[in-house]
Amino acid sequence: MGYMNSQYRTVEPALIEHRQSYRHQVHIQRAAIREHGRTAKAGELIDLSIYGCRVASRTRFAEGSRLWLRFEGSSPIPATAIWCQNGHIGCRFDDKLDSGLFRRLTLISE
């Protein structure tokens, strides 16, 4: 029973990444986000993978909301809000992001 009185301190469990693909850090200020039938709101693309992204926005969206995202030079991209915290929205795209658009967005530097 020596382990119960161990001299070592306890640590929090490590965070486990559940995403299907690595998220690339980007900083694109010209992004728009809207719910179906609503007016688009300004957003800022923070990170991106071919399956989803994180967008900063002053507008709150409920988890599970159906969204349309538009980035520099893209047509509207359908997505679902997976989480919304502290002015950020985690989105999962309905379909895998076009590889040409992905390359363009991850190569842009502002």
Side-chain angles (χ1 to χ4, degrees), residues 25-40:
Q25 298 296 314
V26 294
H27 185 78
I28 298 174
Q29 295 179 343
R30 291 179 299 276
I33 184 169
R34 72 176 176 89
E35 288 183 282
H36 183 69
R38 305 268 178 153
T39 304

Side-chain angles (χ1 to χ4, degrees), residues 51-100:
Y51 298 106
C53 66
R54 179 168 44 127
V55 177
S57 176
R58 291 185 179 149
T59 305
R60 283 196 55 81
F61 295 93
E63 291 178 13
S65 295
R66 298 290 303 134
L67 305 173
W68 291 94
L69 305 168
R70 187 183 292 258
F71 308 125
E72 292 180 2
S74 79
S75 55
I77 301 165
T80 301
I82 302 302
W83 57 267
C84 185
Q85 292 178 335
N86 303 321
H88 288 203
I89 303 117
C91 301
R92 181 179 57 223
F93 302 135
D94 288 0
D95 297 311
K96 193 170 148 181
L97 194 63
D98 174 70
S99 60

